[in-house]
Amino acid sequence: MYAKRFSAHHIYIISIALLIFAGLSSIVIGPMAISYKQSLLALLPGDHELAKHVSLVIHQIRLPRTLLCFAIGAILAICGAVLQGLFRNPLADPGIIGITGGAGLGAALAIVLFTPLTASFPQLLNFAIVPIFAFIGGAISTVLVYRLGTDKNGTSVMIMLLAGVAITAISGAGLGLLNYVADDQALRDLSLWSMGSLASATWTGIILAYCTFGLLFTYFYRHTSNLNALLLGEAEARHMGVNTQKLKRNLIITCAAGVGITVAVCGPIGFIGLVIPHVGRMLTGPNHKTLLPISALLGGLILLVADMIARSAFSPQELPVGIITAMLGAPFFIYLLVNQKSQMS
């Protein structure tokens, strides 16, 4: 409906304006009172006579968290948009096809078994252990799902989704086992991490997340024409000269890397990759050249809003943001299932 009234340009401008407002609000909201003016001044270059404690809270706590929110939301949203286009299935999502589960199991292995051993390593190397294991876990689960769903006749989306459910269940069992064998400190870290939280945002994590987002967006955008061709059907895409098997393999592995890094930085955050691409299609249509940018903007915006709700709903207590995204996304997932069922009947 909006797409008929507004061009993609207008929707980009509105989304960016909302994103800036949400970003400033994210800095303002918290136990310590900070005004919008102080928030804005702190972001501008130069000396602005802000109290030291206000400047410290903004630059060391709230600004890193706000920046990380946008990057994580954008990565999850564009990965969801690519997977839904690749599988031509509205239910495809990094969590549903097992990538998040595999990445989570890999990260949990690193937290429980390897983090205590690497405590004396240099900070950067120590920080890289969890992302590396998350990537390996996500890549292994992705390859397994892809292999199970592919034969000489091509790729079966239904088999891949069912394989994703099985991989997610196996990952859940592995996480349960790690919870059982973890010591007190590892169990505390694992419990906080497994619910998804942006509270421990660091500049190292932010740099990693933005580099990942930049690389993913650039790579995905180069393949928007191929993704659009796939919307017509796999056979039609092959007739148009698209190497569909190579395209699927490369994009799935790239998505696994992106989701693995988000899981490593802030834990599993569900439903952003499922819901946001649908909203993007409602606003700009199915063309991936416009869908990817709007998904990135909306993904960052919605995760910022979810994080603000998580911080303020039971203030001064803070909910893990993964709970908020699940509460927002699960009803939408049920709506998609009902819609699919009505279409099939």
Side-chain angles (χ1 to χ4, degrees):
M1 181 171 68
Y2 287 105
K4 294 177 182 175
R5 294 181 181 178
F6 301 107
S7 68
H9 261 351
H10 289 127
I11 295 172
Y12 290 152
I13 292 170
I14 294 170
S15 301
I16 290 170
L18 289 174
L19 189 60
I20 292 172
F21 178 71
L24 289 174
S25 300
S26 176
I27 294 173
V28 168
I29 290 175
M32 190 173 89
I34 294 176
S35 68
Y36 279 96
K37 182 180 177 182
Q38 288 174 314
S39 167
L40 194 57
L41 286 175
L43 301 180
L44 297 175
D47 188 11
H48 298 291
E49 296 185 357
L50 284 173
K52 189 176 179 181
H53 67 284
V54 172
S55 178
L56 193 67
V57 168
I58 291 176
H59 288 108
Q60 297 297 322
I61 300 174
R62 297 189 189 174
L63 180 60
R65 185 168 183 154
T66 301
L67 292 174
L68 188 62
C69 262
F70 173 75
I72 297 297
I75 291 171
L76 293 173
I78 60 174
C79 286
V82 167
L83 289 173
Q84 288 174 12
L86 203 59
F87 296 141
R88 290 187 295 126
N89 191 305
L91 302 180
D93 165 77
I96 292 172
I97 66 169
I99 298 177
T100 304
L105 181 58
L109 272 171
I111 290 172
V112 175
L113 302 181
F114 293 95
T115 300
L117 303 177
T118 59
S120 59
F121 286 11
Q123 185 183 2
L124 185 60
L125 183 60
N126 196 27
F127 179 82
I129 292 293
V130 176
I132 289 171
F133 271 76
F135 168 70
I136 293 172
I140 290 174
S141 62
T142 304
V143 170
L144 280 174
V145 170
Y146 184 72
R147 290 287 184 191
L148 287 169
T150 305
D151 58 19
K152 61 181 179 181
N153 298 317
T155 303
S156 166
V157 172
M158 184 59 71
I159 297 294
M160 288 192 74
L161 291 175
L162 291 175
V165 172
I167 294 292
T168 302
I170 293 170
S171 301
L175 275 172
L177 182 62
L178 288 170
N179 271 301
Y180 184 76
V181 301
D183 59 28
D184 288 345
Q185 180 60 45
L187 185 60
R188 195 176 300 113
D189 293 342
L190 193 57
S191 298
L192 288 173
W193 169 86
S194 63
M195 288 185 282
S197 174
L198 295 142
S200 57
T202 63
W203 287 106
T204 308
I206 292 167
I207 292 169
L208 178 64
Y210 274 90
C211 289
T212 303
F213 170 66
L215 291 172
L216 285 179
F217 188 85
T218 304
Y219 185 73
F220 290 159
Y221 203 79
R222 286 178 55 199
H223 290 287
T224 49
S225 298
N226 294 335
L227 286 167
N228 287 340
L230 268 180
L231 293 177
L232 302 173
E234 199 164 330
E236 288 78 1
R238 278 198 293 268
H239 286 307
M240 294 169 72
V242 178
N243 186 338
T244 55
Q245 291 303 314
K246 182 180 178 183
L247 179 69
K248 284 182 179 180
R249 183 181 64 243
N250 292 345
L251 289 180
I252 288 173
I253 290 174
T254 315
C255 286
V259 173
I261 287 171
T262 65
V263 170
V265 170
C266 59
I269 296 176
F271 294 103
I272 295 290
L274 175 69
V275 174
I276 298 303
H278 289 279
V279 179
R281 285 189 201 91
M282 289 168 59
L283 295 174
T284 64
N287 186 344
H288 286 84
K289 286 186 183 301
T290 54
L291 178 61
L292 284 180
I294 197 65
S295 293
L297 290 170
L298 292 178
L301 175 63
I302 297 301
L303 191 55
L304 266 174
V305 173
D307 186 55
M308 284 189 278
I309 295 173
R311 282 189 283 154
S312 56
F314 296 97
S315 181
Q317 300 296 323
E318 180 178 321
L319 288 174
V321 70
I323 293 176
I324 302 298
T325 58
M327 289 172 67
L328 295 174
F332 189 80
F333 184 65
I334 293 172
Y335 161 76
L336 287 177
L337 288 176
V338 172
N339 194 38
Q340 286 280 97
K341 182 181 174 184
S342 64
Q343 285 183 8
M344 290 172 67
S345 62

